[in-house]
Amino acid sequence: MIWQRLKSVSIKQLFMLIKLFLPKPLYIPLTLKASTRAMSIASNEYGKKHHGNTKANAFRHALWTVLICQAVFSRKQSPEKSVKWAKKVTDFHEKLAPNKPLEREMDLHNNTIGCNLWVENKTLSETEFINFLKEKSAEAKQVKAVEEVANFKENLVYITAE
């Protein structure tokens, strides 16, 4: 999935990717592994539902940031650096593959929630985090407008019911 996506990027997007990863080349395999793992886990847990704007998608975005944070933390032992990198990569993804405004806001919000949850619970194992995020995604709040997203600072959000 990731390699297919890379094959479809424009020259401009390729330069944006190089600019992102050039200062942190050791983060490339960590980020790719976390990204692939997040997609795999989301597919195992929710099937194709995580490709929509559903609670399953909220789960995947939060898990993605958690796994990136865990991966960077395993190398750098710095929560700040881990969160900074996870936010940088996941926010960049939203620039690289732009969505409609509400979908973009939902994804950015769920990425931030994932980082926040990791900071608060960084001692959880991957399995424990998966279960924890499944609970959080079950409690996710539905939004219908960009302005509503800010009302849910502690919750994952989604647009479309399953």
Side-chain angles (χ1 to χ4, degrees):
M1 180 96 175
I2 292 170
W3 296 116
Q4 291 171 333
R5 179 75 182 124
L6 284 174
K7 289 180 193 176
S8 69
V9 298
S10 69
I11 296 295
K12 180 183 176 186
Q13 291 171 325
L14 182 60
F15 281 113
M16 290 170 64
L17 274 169
I18 291 169
K19 185 178 174 185
L20 173 70
F21 283 105
L22 193 59
K24 305 280 187 195
L26 298 177
Y27 288 5
I28 294 170
L30 300 174
T31 303
L32 287 174
K33 183 177 177 184
S35 300
T36 302
R37 184 85 179 117
M39 291 296 286
S40 175
I41 292 167
S43 292
N44 287 341
E45 295 293 333
Y46 295 100
K48 293 183 180 186
K49 290 180 183 177
H50 71 93
H51 293 290
N53 297 308
T54 62
K55 291 179 180 183
N57 180 273
F59 167 87
R60 186 186 82 221
H61 276 268
L63 179 65
W64 184 30
T65 57
V66 163
L67 294 178
I68 293 171
C69 286
Q70 285 180 331
V72 173
F73 187 74
S74 73
R75 301 289 172 150
K76 292 294 181 182
Q77 297 299 305
S78 169
E80 296 80 17
K81 287 180 181 178
S82 301
V83 168
K84 184 177 178 181
W85 181 253
K87 283 292 293 159
K88 192 172 190 175
V89 168
T90 58
D91 288 358
F92 173 79
H93 170 76
E94 294 307 316
K95 290 180 191 172
L96 191 65
N99 285 322
K100 294 177 184 172
L102 180 56
E103 294 168 353
R104 181 178 187 275
E105 192 65 27
M106 175 192 69
D107 290 347
L108 290 170
H109 174 85
N110 291 332
N111 294 342
T112 298
I113 295 292
C115 285
N116 294 345
L117 292 172
W118 179 78
V119 167
E120 295 166 8
N121 303 280
K122 61 183 157 293
T123 60
L124 294 180
S125 69
E126 181 180 285
T127 301
E128 290 169 325
F129 245 118
I130 292 167
N131 292 330
F132 179 63
L133 291 174
K134 284 171 66 177
E135 291 173 17
K136 291 292 185 186
S137 63
E139 300 167 357
K141 305 299 181 187
Q142 187 171 22
V143 293
K144 296 183 188 232
V146 170
E147 306 78 39
E148 291 178 38
V149 175
N151 296 333
F152 302 107
K153 296 187 186 313
E154 304 291 320
N155 300 92
L156 295 170
V157 297
Y158 68 100
I159 299 169
T160 308
E162 312 281 322

